[in-house]
Amino acid sequence: MKNTVATMLKQKQSGEKITMLTAYDYTTAKIQDECGVNSILVGDSLGMTMLGYDTTLPVTMDDMIHHTKAVARGAVNAFVVADMPFMSYQASIYDAVVNAGRLIKEGGAAAVKLEGGAEVCEQIRAIVDSSIPVVAHLGLTPQSVNAFGGFKVQGKTYDKARKIVEDALKIQEAGACAVVLECVPAKLAEIISHKLVIPTIGIGAGNGCDGQVLVYQDMLGLTTGHTPKFAKIFADAGEVFRKGFTAYIEETKNGVFPAEEHTFSIDDEIIEKLEEELK
Ligand code: KIV
């Protein structure tokens, strides 16, 4: 069944958890879709997971459209959400609408996601007025890494927790169809989830959210270097990759690969004729 804004809302109302995973390419999106994930996020985390940057800040609209196109081709039933990259919506409402439109029209996404609260409500309103669903993103918003002074848990003081609650209410009022809550205390995320009509999708925000999202490289053990505390490894594909790559290198070097069954045959007569001619 095709997942939409309406099915996500129904899931919240009935208490059925929403599942979201990141994907950045056709093959991964197709596998996730076949497994039945509700939503696929083409996150600007692709700057780090696919392109090797230290942050998401260098990611461009062209990067996002390129990867969103691939994911959209693999996702039959999943609700595809594409991230609006840094500086594609902050500077003006015009930029926000035009760039959101490109992610839908050229990328094939069904919705866009942008980071921030009160300060981006006008952008959310304008994008929603253009008939494009918007997922908001509060808490640790990675595009603000320099303002935060690092990737840190947000909302731990009363004032900061209160601000996140107020931002959540404002983005809902502006028309957001869901909100990602990243790296906020579990009890705060639970309060917000009860207070909002729209679904909350948590990452490092505990079990009280209406759904969960993870970066797929984190949950498959493919992340090299630091893996965040909240990222449970559900299957160690990193180990499978390493085993496969090492075996290929060894077998190729010692001539075991390719074996008979991996090769194509030709009539002996043709070979004999060729060998005679080439003597
Ligand atoms: O870019 C991304 O992958 C995200 C998730 C971490 C929610 O925004």
Side-chain angles (χ1 to χ4, degrees), residues 7 34 60 63 76 95 117 132 148 182 186 193 205 216 224 233-234 243 253-254 260 270 273:
T7 48
E34 285 166 3
T60 64
D63 292 332
V76 177
D95 281 353
I132 298 171
F148 291 147
E182 178 164 356
S193 304
Y216 91 83
T224 51
I233 297 177
F234 286 82
K243 263 195 193 150
K253 280 194 190 287
N254 61 31
E260 187 75 34
I270 298 173
K273 190 169 174 213

Side-chain angles (χ1 to χ4, degrees), residues 106-126:
E106 297 173 47
V112 298
K113 177 167 81 58
L114 52 76
E115 299 181 5
E119 70 282 10
V120 292
C121 278
E122 278 192 61
Q123 281 89 333
I124 294 176
R125 232 172 250 118

